[in-house]
């Protein structure tokens, strides 16, 4: 399913009009990918990229894309028609002067993304003279918050891959395995199943019941092997087709006490009841945490939730970046909208006894929301 790039361009240009910006420039970054459709690797290896990879968006009309010669093969992968390639050894300043001249700008207010190289900023300043620079990093946040059908399909696929990774890693959980062993296995299985990258370094945290109380949950040595009586918390995510996942589950190795088992059941119940209440306009984003908190209070685990989520922030939006605004925090009072996709990530922590996390990707619907991650909720004690 194709992505709606026309909506993105029009939405950005409307925002530019509101702010009086004449030009917006994005270097190779999340906004560059979102606007052009190009999956040039901006997540890692910045030193291997080129400052000549930029998209120039005027307030009116079509954008111009510039690419370094080494990246010219990507030209066939974008919807943008006007593509200028900087040949090896050519004058970058001259290329930019031609681009800016062809855009026929009426003013000198330029918005810059955070990933525009300094060399580009200098050359724009030389070409335009008395230019007025502004930040353009968040101009498409309102567009990226609401996913189009093509984005939902990509998020669904990377969520399904993440479920499959968890299924493959599960048999590797045995006595003596280390947190590091499992983290490496997570990344290996993800790439084996088709992920182009991890959306963040995977983490696996052990908490041994009866351990010394500390200010942080994860004091279990990274290279010490797993022993019975230990909770295991996974936090993993992948990138596929340019879109991210973020997922969490916990397990308990060895016989689990009633308190631990009921804590995990309570955490899942809180997520299920919260998602049941989520749909277009049903509540504000800031209401998500209190909704889940009430369930945990009713089931007797509210204090353990509050021990880990002191800021009352329950998660975040997700898309081309793993952490996208708005964060699911008390500060964001806007209502839920259909086609928001968010990672709900509650955790409960009983210091010295266990740390449990449940994290799922959820698609907000018009009348009902849908889990995109669907790993077995019953599986806990190993």
């Amino acid at each position: 399913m194709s992505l709606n790039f026309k909506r993105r361009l029009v939405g950005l240009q409307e925002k530019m009009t509101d702010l009086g910006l004449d030009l917006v420039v994005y270097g190779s970054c999340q906004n560059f990918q979102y606007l052009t459709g190009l999956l040039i690797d901006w997540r890692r290896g910045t030193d291997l990229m080129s400052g000549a990879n930029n998209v120039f968006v005027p307030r009116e009309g079509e954008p111009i894309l510039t690419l370094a010669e080494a990246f010219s093969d990507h030209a066939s992968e974008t919807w943008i028609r006007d593509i200028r390639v900087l040949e090896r050894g050519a004058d970058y300043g001259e290329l930019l002067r031609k681009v800016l001249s062809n855009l026929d700008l009426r003013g000198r207010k330029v918005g810059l993304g955070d990933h525009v190289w300094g060399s580009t900023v200098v050359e724009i300043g030389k070409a335009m003279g008395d230019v007025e620079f502004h930040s353009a990093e968040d101009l498409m946040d309102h567009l990226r918050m609401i996913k189009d059908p093509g984005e939902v399909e990509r998020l669904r696929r990377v969520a399904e891959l993440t479920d499959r990774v968890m299924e493959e890693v599960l048999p590797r959980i045995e006595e003596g395995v280390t947190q590091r062993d499992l983290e490496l296995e997570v990344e290996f299985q993800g790439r084996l199943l088709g992920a182009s990258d991890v959306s963040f370094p995977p983490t696996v945290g052990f908490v041994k019941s009866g351990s010394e109380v500390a200010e942080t949950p994860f004091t279990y040595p990274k290279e010490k092997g797993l022993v019975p009586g230990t909770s295991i918390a996974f936090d993993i995510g992948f990138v596929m087709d340019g879109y991210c996942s973020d997922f969490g589950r916990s397990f308990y190795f060895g016989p689990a006490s009633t308190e631990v088992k009921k804590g995990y059941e309570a955490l899942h119940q809180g997520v299920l009841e919260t998602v049941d209440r989520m749909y277009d306009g049903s509540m504000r984003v800031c209401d998500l945490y209190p909704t889940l908190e009430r369930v945990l209070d009713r089931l007797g685990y509210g204090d353990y939730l509050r021990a880990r989520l002191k800021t009352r922030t329950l998660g975040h939006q997700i898309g081309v970046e793993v952490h996208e605004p708005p964060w699911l925090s008390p500060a964001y009072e806007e209502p839920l909208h259909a086609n928001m996709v968010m990672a709900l990530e509650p955790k409960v922590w009983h210091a010295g006894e266990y740390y449990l996390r449940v994290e799922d990707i959820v698609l907000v619907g018009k009348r009902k929301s849908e889990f995109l991650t669907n790993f077995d909720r019953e599986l806990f004690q190993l």
Side-chain angles (χ1 to χ4, degrees):
M1 188 175 294
S2 61
L3 302 172
N4 189 348
F5 294 108
K6 183 67 174 178
R7 166 183 171 265
R8 300 174 188 188
L9 175 62
V10 170
L12 173 58
Q13 290 177 325
E14 288 175 348
K15 195 75 170 179
M16 291 170 65
T17 299
D18 291 342
L19 298 173
L21 293 175
D22 302 290
L23 174 69
V24 162
V25 184
Y26 290 118
S28 185
C29 65
Q30 65 274 38
N31 287 319
F32 178 93
Q33 175 191 318
Y34 186 74
L35 192 59
T36 68
L38 295 182
L39 302 183
I40 293 175
D41 189 4
W42 51 269
R43 301 175 197 275
R44 301 195 190 193
T46 303
D47 59 316
L48 301 177
M49 300 297 106
S50 170
N53 296 336
N54 297 292
V55 60
F56 296 80
V57 185
R59 192 189 306 181
E60 297 178 358
E62 297 294 310
I64 295 176
L65 176 68
T66 61
L67 293 173
E69 185 177 7
F71 297 86
S72 59
D73 289 349
H74 289 279
S76 62
E77 301 166 5
T78 181
W79 64 276
I80 295 175
R81 290 172 290 188
D82 193 341
I83 302 169
R84 316 286 178 91
V85 175
L86 179 67
E87 296 181 358
R88 189 172 282 105
D91 187 324
Y92 183 40
E94 180 62 26
L95 175 68
L96 288 188
R97 284 191 291 274
K98 288 180 180 178
V99 167
L100 295 171
S101 174
N102 293 155
L103 289 172
D104 192 26
L105 303 174
R106 299 176 185 176
R108 300 178 184 279
K109 291 183 69 173
V110 178
L112 299 175
D114 287 352
H115 294 71
V116 177
W117 286 38
S119 55
T120 300
V121 178
V122 169
E123 294 298 342
I124 291 173
K126 288 180 182 178
M128 296 184 68
D130 188 21
V131 64
E132 184 180 320
F133 288 118
H134 299 264
S135 173
E137 188 64 15
D138 62 356
L139 295 192
M140 290 193 291
D141 286 357
H142 66 297
L143 299 169
R144 290 168 55 189
M145 181 178 72
I146 307 298
K147 271 54 180 181
D148 63 43
E151 291 183 283
V152 171
E153 181 58 31
R154 284 160 176 76
L155 286 162
R156 190 185 303 279
R157 288 202 297 265
V158 71
E160 290 170 352
L161 176 141
T162 307
D163 284 342
R164 289 166 57 203
V165 168
M166 198 70 258
E167 291 169 1
E168 293 296 327
V169 171
L170 199 64
R172 276 73 173 179
I173 303 176
E174 57 186 16
E175 189 163 358
V177 72
T178 69
Q179 294 162 92
R180 177 170 169 75
D181 291 337
L182 293 175
E183 289 166 354
L184 292 171
E185 187 66 28
V186 164
E187 182 162 359
F188 172 73
Q189 291 296 334
R191 291 183 181 276
L192 196 64
L193 290 169
S196 60
D197 203 347
V198 290
S199 52
F200 56 91
T203 62
V204 181
F206 294 171
V207 175
K208 175 73 171 67
S209 296
S211 59
E212 185 177 345
V213 173
E215 293 184 359
T216 180
F218 301 123
T219 58
Y220 200 105
K222 294 293 285 186
E223 300 302 333
K224 181 180 177 181
L226 178 65
V227 297
T230 302
S231 64
I232 309 164
F234 283 83
D235 187 12
I236 66 176
F238 300 96
V239 182
M240 190 167 70
D241 299 325
Y243 282 77
C244 297
S245 66
D246 191 357
F247 169 83
R249 281 293 186 271
S250 280
F251 306 95
Y252 198 87
F253 187 70
S257 68
T258 300
E259 181 197 346
V260 178
K261 287 187 286 188
K262 287 191 175 298
Y264 196 55
E265 291 168 3
L267 198 52
H268 274 293
Q269 188 65 27
V271 171
L272 292 170
E273 291 191 26
T274 299
V275 173
D276 279 346
R277 291 172 169 80
M278 290 169 56
Y279 54 88
D280 187 41
S282 67
M283 65 174 79
R284 300 168 302 171
V285 170
C286 60
D287 295 327
L288 289 169
Y289 177 90
T291 300
L292 184 136
E293 184 181 37
R294 285 192 290 271
V295 179
L296 271 292
D297 279 338
R298 187 185 79 221
L299 298 175
Y301 287 84
D303 286 342
Y304 297 142
L305 174 72
R306 287 182 285 271
R308 190 55 186 161
L309 297 181
K310 295 179 181 179
T311 65
R312 302 170 67 87
T313 296
L314 189 56
H316 49 86
Q317 294 286 109
I318 191 167
V320 297
E321 286 185 288
V322 68
H323 298 132
E324 293 193 345
W327 283 80
L328 313 182
S329 75
Y332 196 79
E333 298 182 351
E334 294 299 311
L336 296 178
H337 296 287
N339 285 353
M340 282 179 140
V341 180
M342 54 188 60
L344 297 179
E345 48 183 19
K347 307 88 145 172
V348 298
W349 176 35
H350 184 170
E353 291 297 325
Y354 55 82
Y355 174 94
L356 308 174
R357 68 179 298 133
V358 167
E359 183 169 5
D360 283 295
I361 304 174
V362 177
L363 167 65
V364 178
K366 201 71 179 169
R367 296 180 180 83
K368 183 177 180 176
S369 291
E370 174 190 357
F371 286 99
L372 299 186
T373 44
N374 289 284
F375 185 80
D376 188 353
R377 294 183 179 277
E378 303 296 323
L379 184 57
F380 178 58
Q381 184 171 288
L382 303 178

